[in-house]
Amino acid sequence: MPKIVDKDAMRERILDAAENAFHRDGITQVRMVDIAAELSVAKGTIYLYFPSRAELIAALVTRFFKSAENPLAAAPPAPSLEAFQKMILQMVTASSPDESTLLRFFSIFGAELKNPDISTPLAAYFDMLAEALGAELSRLAPNMPDPTQTARALVSVIDGLMLHRGLFGHNADIDTTKRLITAILSSP
Amino acid sequence: MPKIVDKDAMRERILDAAENAFHRDGITQVRMVDIAAELSVAKGTIYLYFPSRAELIAALVTRFFKSAENPLAAAPPAPSLEAFQKMILQMVTASSPDESTLLRFFSIFGAELKNPDISTPLAAYFDMLAEALGAELSRLAPNMPDPTQTARALVSVIDGLMLHRGLFGHNADIDTTKRLITAILSSP
DNA sequence: TCTTTTAATGACTTGACGGTCAGAAAAGCA
DNA sequence: TGCTTTTCTGACCGTCAAGTCATTAAAAGA
């Protein structure tokens, strides 16, 4: 007899709305009413699903890193160093800045980077990426001096390229980026 | 006969206090009273020097980029590509994370990256850096395919390395970083 | 259709913070 | 020491957004 809604789905919809609004207008500019409006519901509804703004934001952080699984795992292992280079290049240039999870994350949580709740999972995410890259590197370029270190540095480099691409709309043309990545990934 | 204070010096002291507080506690956490307390003055005093919180922040942004002049201009022009590589390496690894102007900037204004008041001068700063790097590159490595593009990409790369170094205390060891930079800066 | 239970609403409350300003204090000259 | 001008102070005000809750709406079985 009662009205029933899918609570989990509604939570997700609220998180989606919040994420969009934060990304579009900046986390400090977005009020609870704005998130509600984004969903065409009343403010009170938000509070049926999240006890406070802070907890909503915490849930958003959690979700970010749950979804941010290893993008390398999805793709089939690269058959050669050349193919691997190409894949990295894709990673940097393929996604339009607005789709970039990382940029989205920065634009929302940039100011909270000193907050361990934010920086710890972020650091873990980059380490995970580096580990996966390092394993591929060892396999594909056995002569590479220090694959673990190289992979971690490569992650920093990729992040820098993506960030600038996203933030400043700067598109180092594909050729240049390719040349850079090739240079880095070629055994000395 | 009147009490006289150095207005400009006081403005600087207020900006210093604000910058420290923002850096330490996060810009959203810091209230006007907190900035005043940092200086052991009353809140009203701040308003004798800045008409509003927004203008204080704007002044801080301006100051950031006034002080962040071209770090390349300071150093004498590199006599060789090798020397240039060494200088870039210094740039990435020398300053301790906490002294890094750029990291300080990010930790304060990270969330405001979508705000043109913030992103415009930041983009201009990176472009200025890229231009300077590009000029040096053209001079030192005439064979380099597209020095302008390469320089801009190099700036992204350097920023990525510095950011990760600062944010995650990750120190790609000097050798690895050196190898990366050498690889990028060697004509193909 | 009526009834019951859950879900949604939005006017209202509360507290916090930016900004003001009348009065107090400080400085320095006569 | 008094006098004048500048500077500082902090209680107060207004606004605005988070969070509450009495009331209304929606769903669906009897």
Side-chain angles (χ1 to χ4, degrees), chain B residues 124-141:
Chain B
Y125 175 70
F126 284 126
D127 285 344
M128 178 271 286
L129 267 188
E131 203 171 332
L133 279 181
E136 285 289 86
L137 265 188
S138 305
R139 188 168 63 79
L140 297 168

Side-chain angles (χ1 to χ4, degrees), chain A residues 37-106:
Chain A
E38 184 97 5
L39 266 175
S40 308
V41 298
K43 182 169 55 148
T45 306
I46 307 286
Y47 286 92
L48 297 175
Y49 296 87
F50 296 94
S52 69
R53 179 184 165 86
E55 296 235 18
L56 190 158
I57 288 173
L60 202 53
V61 174
T62 305
R63 193 176 74 153
F64 250 112
F65 289 105
K66 207 179 296 171
S67 74
E69 77 268 15
N70 183 346
L72 296 182
S80 71
L81 189 57
E82 285 69 36
F84 184 65
Q85 288 171 358
K86 203 162 187 173
M87 202 205 60
I88 300 285
L89 184 63
Q90 286 274 336
M91 207 163 137
V92 176
T93 57
S95 67
S96 89
D98 242 36
E99 295 163 19
S100 157
T101 305
L102 221 45
L103 182 62
R104 250 178 125 73
F105 185 87
F106 263 88

